[in-house]
Amino acid sequence: MRIFATTSRYVQGAGALDELGRHCAVLGERAFVVTDADMARLLGSRVEASFKAAQLAATVEVFPGEITHAAIAELAEQAQAFGAAMIVGLGGGKALDTAKGVALRLGVRAVSVPTIASNDGPASAAIAVYDEHHIMQDILQLPRNPELVLVDTQVIANAPVRFLRAGIGDAISKRFEAEACSHAGAHTLLGTPASLTGLVAAQACYDIIRKHGAGAIRAVQERRVDEDLEALVEATVLLSTISFENGGLSLAHALARGFSYLERAQGTLHGDHVAYGLLVQLVMEHRASSFIEELRGFYHELGLPTQLADFGLTSPTPEEIRDLAEKSMVSPSALRFAPPVDASQLERAIIEVERMNANMG
Ligand SMILES: [Zn+2]
């Protein structure tokens, strides 16, 4: 058995935001938009205008900040009172996941409009729910992926470059994670072995990042859209999601889970954790040091993290390293690797990754 799942429609380009209403019109007549205060101020009127032009009723609601079960329940009540046929998330990961959570609760369609490209969430059916201490509490799943993902690349180009960089970190691992997951005979989040389409997407995602990553970073630093950025965004927002949902995750994402428990790494981005986690995974795979060094060179070119100090953990203590290794084992992705790993092996691999930086002097 194999299952392939993805978003029904993906729209990307400079100025795409003005087309949002038109693309939503096939989904129903009433749109409930969930966003944060900054995006409401910056883009709210444009979004409203696009719905109006498409003759849809829309309301823009500002969500409280952290995505908790309570926040979702409250917004769901408002959306139901509004008679929403679809819930549109506009903003970063939290706004998008909150919107998906509301859609799940009401059984209506979800639409993602990411304003940063920092992770693989927008096109995904997964919803990460946190507690008040920013610790991931639950991963909920929509019964279907968001019906529409719309990315305005000019909006992405206007956002701080660190978000684009994190999105690259979250995506660059996918080829290796899908391979490791398949090698272990493990299943994807869909509960089946990887589909060929998922594996091909993961490889393509990696190739596009290697070809267009550096150029895309430069484009965003200059707040302009070019072919490098268009290619890169398609890889990190669409292919990256197709890869992990249909190809599977492994140790790089297990490490990312571990990072969320580290006191000194608070406020650092998921995609950066994954990028570091990939280096640990490659050590666990016994990759040739020349291979890892070449990839580390690419990390340096893009400004991706290669050591714990890049997350604020200067001179990491043995306890912090052990903690990272042990907390990573909490993730189900830690089991998607063969031969089976334990915390002490991960701990040694992290120390090895740290040593590579020391060697660079
Ligand atoms: Zn991720």
Side-chain angles (χ1 to χ4, degrees):
M1 183 92 76
R2 62 191 78 185
I3 300 176
F4 176 79
T6 189
T7 182
S8 311
R9 183 152 302 199
Y10 180 79
V11 179
Q12 177 193 310
L17 194 62
D18 300 314
E19 312 276 305
L20 177 61
R22 180 166 76 80
H23 290 288
C24 285
V26 295
L27 302 175
E29 289 175 352
R30 300 182 73 80
F32 187 86
V33 182
V34 176
T35 191
D36 59 52
D38 285 345
M39 287 304 133
R41 185 172 45 78
L42 282 171
L43 303 173
S45 57
R46 257 179 89 187
V47 165
E48 279 167 343
S50 107
F51 281 113
K52 200 170 176 201
Q55 294 174 324
L56 266 69
T59 179
V60 177
E61 296 296 328
V62 172
F63 83 107
E66 195 58 81
I67 162 167
T68 60
H69 287 296
I72 289 171
E74 201 182 314
L75 281 164
E77 242 171 67
Q78 294 177 40
Q80 191 160 34
F82 178 72
M86 72 200 85
I87 313 295
V88 181
L90 170 75
K94 283 178 187 170
L96 267 46
D97 273 8
T98 303
K100 284 193 263 181
V102 174
L104 174 65
R105 214 174 164 99
L106 296 183
V108 299
R109 281 148 158 183
V111 174
S112 294
V113 185
T115 55
I116 53 175
S118 67
N119 63 52
D120 57 20
S124 162
I127 307 164
V129 181
Y130 294 83
D131 65 15
E132 308 78 64
H133 311 291
H134 310 285
I135 299 288
M136 194 190 287
Q137 213 186 2
D138 261 332
I139 295 186
L140 309 175
Q141 292 283 333
L142 282 170
R144 293 170 55 89
N145 292 61
E147 296 292 329
L148 167 67
V149 178
L150 183 140
V151 193
D152 189 323
T153 30
Q154 187 59 59
V155 173
I156 301 298
N158 293 345
V161 72
R162 74 185 189 105
F163 293 124
L164 189 84
R165 191 179 286 130
I168 294 172
D170 199 18
I172 196 168
S173 67
K174 296 295 166 48
R175 169 195 152 190
F176 303 100
E177 293 195 85
E179 282 170 6
C181 183
S182 287
H183 174 67
H187 286 175
T188 71
L189 297 177
L190 297 162
T192 57
S195 64
L196 292 176
T197 315
L199 297 175
V200 168
Q203 179 69 53
C205 181
Y206 181 76
D207 294 343
I208 291 168
I209 288 170
R210 292 302 305 258
K211 188 168 174 202
H212 298 283
I217 293 268
R218 281 194 297 275
V220 171
Q221 281 167 338
E222 296 162 13
R223 295 183 162 227
R224 61 182 167 76
V225 176
D226 65 8
E227 279 310 306
D228 282 328
L229 183 63
E230 293 286 4
L232 191 277
V233 168
E234 188 179 337
T236 60
V237 180
L238 182 61
L239 284 172
S240 180
T241 310
I242 292 176
S243 304
F244 95 80
E245 291 193 315
N246 302 283
L249 293 174
S250 185
L251 292 185
H253 267 75
L255 264 290
R257 187 70 172 267
F259 266 97
S260 68
Y261 293 90
L262 292 181
E263 199 70 42
R264 284 206 284 165
Q266 289 306 313
T268 53
L269 296 169
H270 167 79
D272 289 330
H273 304 157
V274 175
Y276 182 89
L278 174 59
L279 298 177
V280 177
Q281 178 175 328
L282 295 177
V283 168
M284 291 295 298
E285 290 174 357
H286 306 291
R287 297 268 178 173
S289 58
S290 57
F291 182 89
I292 298 179
E293 274 314 306
E294 195 278 332
L295 186 63
R296 276 166 40 86
F298 183 66
Y299 274 32
H300 283 301
E301 188 185 357
L302 268 62
L304 284 166
T306 59
Q307 56 186 335
L308 292 173
D310 296 334
F311 300 92
L313 285 108
T314 36
S315 313
T317 65
E319 291 73 30
E320 283 173 325
I321 289 176
R322 194 172 314 128
D323 210 26
L324 175 57
E326 281 172 1
K327 295 299 197 308
S328 299
M329 295 299 295
V330 170
S331 165
S333 292
L335 303 173
R336 300 186 178 106
F337 190 85
V341 300
D342 61 27
S344 65
Q345 288 168 311
L346 281 186
E347 189 181 344
R348 283 198 294 278
I350 294 166
I351 291 167
E352 177 60 28
V353 169
E354 293 298 302
R355 195 174 290 142
M356 288 172 188
N357 290 282
N359 288 347
M360 296 285 287

